[in-house]
Amino acid sequence: MMLLKKRFASDELLSMRYLNTRMALTEKETLHYSNLEKGYEGELTFDLLAESLKEEKLIINDLLLEVSNSYFQIDTLVISQGMIHLLEIKNYQGDCYLESDKLYAVNTGREYKNPVYQLKRSATLFRQLLQTLKQNYPVEPSVIFINPEFTLYQAPMDQPIILPTQVNRFLNDLNKSPSKLNEGHRKLAQNLISLHQTKNPFTALPNFQYDQLLKGMYCETCKSMLVVIKKKSLVCGKCGGAEKIERAILRSVGEFKMLFPERKVTTQSIYEWCNTDLSKKTFCRVLKKNFIAVGSTRDTYYE
């Protein structure tokens, strides 16, 4: 098994983490953020299980592709000798049931999006993309429910659904399928990675303004703002976690750049954003060391 594209937290998830620490999210926004975290956690859980794949296979995570002006996401793509497995990972929890192709929670009756629909759309668009690339590999899509605390009642046997109790068997079956890859498989994989779209049009962030966000540095571990400077570290008064000051500043710069890409990174802007008991000289030193300075002395900014 060769992992060609690792999985990282999406820009949307990172932005929601930052905003959750610095502003009060609405109930709807909090639910959206929670779903993003759960989804990512489920994908990481599957990634650990997928490390058991031994036969020659290429794995590509988190692909965002576009065909005929339609975007679609693939959580995990597994390229083997004679088949491409297109996997949608779901970290749903609790008891659900399917009725008339609709997914409902048993206790509340709340309707969820049926992931099989999403998967079938992605599979159709992916096959179209393969045609444009003049490739004719068969594609097998599957929805993988990864959470052991999930139960699905009335699941039809003809649907591409892998339940929590079937995940290990699914991976074992993949392992048992002989797979020898050639240059064509590798070229296809690299082609797909090159087509990955870095800007996600599905991103949905709350409306926020710079002035309304809480300024300051916070603990990386527990997100508490109760931090103090001790020697060369940022120490949390809540959980006791410690982080080197330079690393904490760089983390804050990354946060600033993601939330406000239109604003320039300057000593003054980061000093105000971090709003902590550190001198401007400290910020200037860290920025000079880790970024390229642009402009004259007074108007210097960093890239």
Side-chain angles (χ1 to χ4, degrees), residues 1 11-12 29 59 67 91-92 103-104 111 124 142 160 169 192 196 207 237 249 289:
M1 185 272 285
D11 287 355
E12 181 179 20
E29 290 162 355
I59 295 185
V67 62
N91 194 18
Y92 292 175
L103 185 66
Y104 299 96
E111 183 180 345
T124 298
S142 302
R169 202 179 326 146
L192 291 172
H196 171 67
N207 289 321
I249 289 174
K289 179 182 174 184

Side-chain angles (χ1 to χ4, degrees), residues 7-18:
R7 193 184 310 281
F8 297 99
S10 66
D11 287 355
E12 181 179 20
L13 174 54
L14 289 175
S15 296
M16 290 301 292
R17 283 176 181 171
Y18 303 152

Side-chain angles (χ1 to χ4, degrees), residues 154-284:
Q154 299 170 197
M157 294 177 67
D158 62 346
Q159 295 293 315
I161 291 172
I162 310 293
L163 296 170
T165 53
Q166 300 171 317
V167 174
N168 286 334
R169 202 179 326 146
F170 170 76
L171 292 170
N172 287 336
D173 288 344
L174 279 184
N175 260 339
K176 289 174 186 174
S177 303
S179 180
K180 295 293 179 185
L181 302 181
N182 57 38
E183 196 55 34
H185 294 101
R186 293 180 184 88
K187 279 184 178 177
L188 171 62
Q190 292 302 333
N191 213 343
L192 291 172
I193 291 172
S194 72
L195 292 172
H196 171 67
Q197 306 290 309
T198 54
K199 289 295 178 186
N200 190 338
F202 306 132
T203 298
L205 296 179
N207 289 321
F208 63 93
Q209 303 295 327
Y210 178 83
D211 292 340
Q212 79 184 90
L213 297 188
L214 188 62
K215 310 301 185 293
M217 298 175 79
Y218 56 83
C219 173
E220 184 180 26
T221 305
C222 74
K223 307 299 184 277
S224 169
M225 287 278 184
L226 297 173
V227 292
V228 292
I229 308 298
K230 288 188 179 177
K231 295 182 180 178
K232 292 185 178 180
S233 294
L234 190 74
V235 180
C236 180
K238 186 176 178 182
C239 74
E243 183 181 16
K244 292 294 182 187
I245 285 174
E246 181 172 329
R247 188 176 184 279
I249 289 174
L250 291 175
R251 179 165 57 83
S252 298
V253 172
E255 183 180 22
F256 179 84
K257 288 172 70 176
M258 179 163 288
L259 292 178
F260 303 101
E262 74 287 353
R263 287 181 175 242
K264 287 182 178 177
V265 174
T266 65
T267 300
Q268 182 65 29
S269 67
I270 300 305
Y271 176 75
E272 289 175 359
W273 178 247
C274 292
N275 189 29
T276 193
D277 191 20
L278 288 170
S279 69
K280 281 188 185 179
K281 281 186 178 179
T282 300
F283 290 102
C284 187

Side-chain angles (χ1 to χ4, degrees), residues 31 35 95-97 103-113:
L31 179 61
N35 288 338
D95 296 341
C96 289
Y97 65 96
L103 185 66
Y104 299 96
V106 170
N107 292 336
T108 63
R110 178 184 165 194
E111 183 180 345
Y112 293 95
K113 286 182 180 176

Side-chain angles (χ1 to χ4, degrees), residues 2 4 58 60 63 77 79-80 84 126 129-130 133-135 137 181-195:
M2 186 179 292
L4 296 185
L58 302 175
I60 306 172
L63 272 178
L77 194 76
I79 299 176
S80 57
I84 296 178
F126 184 70
L129 181 60
L130 288 180
L133 297 174
K134 295 183 169 51
Q135 303 285 348
Y137 290 97
L181 302 181
N182 57 38
E183 196 55 34
H185 294 101
R186 293 180 184 88
K187 279 184 178 177
L188 171 62
Q190 292 302 333
N191 213 343
L192 291 172
I193 291 172
S194 72
L195 292 172

